[in-house]
Amino acid sequence: STVNAFTSASGESKFLESGTLTPEEFVEAGDQLTFKFPTWRWEAGDANLRASYLPQEQQYLITRNVPCRDRVRALDSALDQIKTEDDWLLPPEVSTSGASKDCLQDVDDLASPKEGKAEVGPVLNFNADDDFLGDGAKASNLPDFSDLDKQLQEEDGYPAASAPAAPASVIVAEAPDANILKTRTYDLSITYDKYYRTPRLWLFGYNENGDPLTPEEVYEDVLSDYKSRTVTVDPHPLTGTPTVSIHPCQHAQVMKKVIDDWIEQGLTPRHDLALFVFLKFISSVVPTINYDFTMEIEF
Amino acid sequence: MAQPAAATKDFEPLQAAPDVGFWQELSQRKLDLWRLDSSNVPVTAFYEASQASRVPAKCFLQKDAFQDTRVPVGAVKVVGELKNFNTEEEFRAFLGNADARQSCLAEAVAQISSAIASGKALQEPWQLRRLLLCSFADLKKYHYSYLLTLPALKTPKPWQRVREPIEDLGPEVLALVAKGLREKDFDGLCLLTRAADVGWSLRPMADLLNVKVESEDDLILVFVDPSSEEAPAWSLQNALVLLAKHRPGRRRVLAFRDPQLAGASGYTSSGPQLRSLLFRYALDAEMESSGDCRAGWSKIATVDLTRFLDSKMVAANAV
């Protein structure tokens, strides 16, 4: 309603002037999101990590098991050629030298002391000289249960089944996961960033076998324009697990642009629609992660 | 061996999906609480109606699995136990021994059978879904190996399903189901019934014995289905045994996979793509279980969580 757009419970909405949200406005936007898209839901998170300025049971939003079938590199070249009219989808140009470094330094309490190291091209600098095991090394250190697996599947695993009309004696023994196209999946969550006063998207990915993705693997699903400037790894505020997120430093600017567009069109900006705008923007950052968001934003 | 025309799975396996928080909590409890005590520990897991196609049917376990028996609103509760082994040898020995595996599941199977026979499962559908997660944690290396089973009662013949067009129900009815499941907690399983004056409505399983319908086609079992493949999820089996026991017949089963229909309109004029499936099963009275089970053990997965749990690594990698 018009009244809601201008006042909120805290009485200090800065939505119109700067595109930011108060905690109450975030909750209202989250309620709209879960109402329209029930595949997103509110969760309470770790009891020790909850914020007092948000309701206990509404600490963050999450949607799980979202498929991501392709990597961005397949789209990159196609996208280079598209000049979008909706350029509010892309954040304003940020120079790679000054402003972006500030963007990454602001929030991180865990900033690595090695942060001043030389950049390695446009890809986010990921410390290459620590003990982190690459895929090959990792695989060789893990215990091998393949024989045991085979035995289990033979003795009482998931049998594949008979075709509907086949007689009982004819059972086709098929590997349980034959014919399934395996895919990466993501659990996506949206938290309220107290410092920037905007939503913040967190991406926890799994490979085709269900193992967690490395940050480098997650970056394969982020549009290259964004990787070097806005993608970080931080402890998730409600789970504590190190998780990739899209840094929120640009979000308010993007929202402000949309608000200005709405005003220009004679519409009254609504803060409770903020997460629909947010998700539309995010879909341009991670275009191959197919979460439920497609809708025209209706007033 | 002769090849039948189109061999498909009868039921889609659930994939264990314990998150980092779950292993973190397990590690903590092992060190501080359980130590060498390897008794089974109660855990609560959950799954959700499939919301995309061609993704695994995940059974989620989180940090609060050990102490909280609540699950997120809209999720389907799976109650069970964790069997964590102290050494890799013990883990292997148990899994390699058919008798040990069988006897370990015997109690859960007995509870499921009894809940079906007595009808208790009609009041409490979660009694049909019991999980056993077996694990071995190498805490020094942050390697976690695990697999799960949801025992399904074995029937004298395999379950045969016949697929019927979902258009027989259509998007309005599916939206009604979606909204109904969202408004009330039916514990993952309920009935969709049609009455002349009121049309279709959702009812709890507890109404199975006394709801009157004009034709048995007006009584459909609604199963919240985490599977996104052709076959409904593994956990449907015990529900079929329950139905065959208390109201046999050739009955329709709705494998529900359209939770998004509970939301307000968000679809183009061409209409929503329905992903729910409608099946007909012969729920014969003879499909009574002997009490044996199909364990359906998942594959053994191992994850290396050094990057997430080793505090030095975590600090080094935070940028």
Side-chain angles (χ1 to χ4, degrees), chain A residues 100-108 124 228-229 232 247:
Chain A
S100 65
K101 279 230 165 87
D102 291 343
C103 180
L104 294 177
Q105 276 165 9
D106 275 344
V107 178
D108 270 308
L124 185 69
S228 59
R229 299 190 292 241
T232 61
H247 199 273

Side-chain angles (χ1 to χ4, degrees), chain B residues 71-119:
Chain B
V71 294
V73 172
V76 178
K77 182 160 76 172
V78 181
V79 160
E81 291 186 339
L82 167 78
K83 195 174 190 59
N84 188 57
F85 292 86
N86 288 324
T87 65
E88 193 182 313
E89 290 68 40
E90 288 167 54
F91 182 66
R92 285 178 184 276
F94 171 78
L95 291 173
N97 180 332
D99 286 338
R101 296 191 310 257
Q102 193 75 5
S103 65
C104 175
L105 292 177
E107 196 187 319
V109 172
Q111 284 170 339
I112 295 170
S113 295
S114 145
I116 289 176
S118 68

Side-chain angles (χ1 to χ4, degrees), chain B residues 256-270:
Chain B
F256 178 73
R257 304 172 183 187
D258 289 299
Q260 70 284 358
L261 290 181
S265 66
Y267 293 94
T268 64
S269 55
S270 60

Side-chain angles (χ1 to χ4, degrees), chain B residues 193-216:
Chain B
T193 58
R194 177 164 50 187
D197 43 346
V198 293
W200 290 102
S201 60
L202 284 186
R203 289 163 165 277
M205 290 304 292
D207 287 0
L208 182 72
L209 298 176
N210 42 40
V211 64
K212 290 192 176 19
V213 284
E214 270 190 37
S215 113
E216 288 302 301

Side-chain angles (χ1 to χ4, degrees), chain B residues 69-298:
Chain B
T69 52
R70 297 175 315 158
V71 294
V73 172
V76 178
K77 182 160 76 172
V78 181
V79 160
E81 291 186 339
L82 167 78
K83 195 174 190 59
N84 188 57
F85 292 86
N86 288 324
T87 65
E88 193 182 313
E89 290 68 40
E90 288 167 54
F91 182 66
R92 285 178 184 276
F94 171 78
L95 291 173
N97 180 332
D99 286 338
R101 296 191 310 257
Q102 193 75 5
S103 65
C104 175
L105 292 177
E107 196 187 319
V109 172
Q111 284 170 339
I112 295 170
S113 295
S114 145
I116 289 176
S118 68
K120 186 125 185 278
L122 293 172
Q123 314 294 333
E124 296 176 345
W126 62 263
Q127 302 256 8
L128 302 168
R129 302 181 295 263
R130 286 171 188 275
L131 158 110
L132 181 69
L133 184 74
C134 294
S135 61
F136 162 64
D138 182 336
L139 296 180
K140 282 202 281 272
K141 290 186 188 166
Y142 304 102
H143 290 173
Y144 299 87
S145 302
Y146 60 97
L147 75 166
L148 73 64
T149 166
L150 257 82
L153 297 181
K154 225 180 222 169
T155 47
K157 297 181 309 194
W159 290 109
Q160 303 284 12
R161 67 171 186 269
V162 175
R163 190 160 156 188
E164 299 195 350
I166 192 64
E167 291 73 28
D168 285 358
L169 285 180
E172 282 89 34
V173 178
L174 264 303
L176 182 145
V177 174
K179 293 192 168 108
L181 287 173
R182 187 187 199 180
E183 274 153 32
K184 200 164 162 215
D185 180 9
F186 286 102
D187 203 6
L189 203 67
C190 65
L191 304 170
L192 177 64
T193 58
R194 177 164 50 187
D197 43 346
V198 293
W200 290 102
S201 60
L202 284 186
R203 289 163 165 277
M205 290 304 292
D207 287 0
L208 182 72
L209 298 176
N210 42 40
V211 64
K212 290 192 176 19
V213 284
E214 270 190 37
S215 113
E216 288 302 301
D217 261 14
D218 289 339
L219 175 63
I220 299 179
L221 177 70
V222 176
F223 168 69
V224 175
D225 191 5
S227 165
S228 63
E229 302 293 333
E230 166 67 31
W234 186 262
S235 49
L236 175 59
Q237 292 173 89
N238 293 340
L240 296 177
V241 176
L242 177 71
L243 229 69
K245 165 87 185 164
H246 291 285
R247 196 151 173 171
R250 289 200 69 243
R251 198 169 296 293
R252 295 192 287 178
V253 174
L254 173 63
F256 178 73
R257 304 172 183 187
D258 289 299
Q260 70 284 358
L261 290 181
S265 66
Y267 293 94
T268 64
S269 55
S270 60
Q273 299 295 311
L274 296 176
R275 294 183 312 100
S276 299
L277 298 177
L278 193 60
F279 299 114
R280 194 175 292 270
Y281 281 93
L283 302 172
D284 305 325
E286 64 172 1
M287 289 297 249
E288 234 186 277
S289 177
S290 54
D292 283 342
C293 82
R294 296 174 91 188
W297 291 95
S298 68

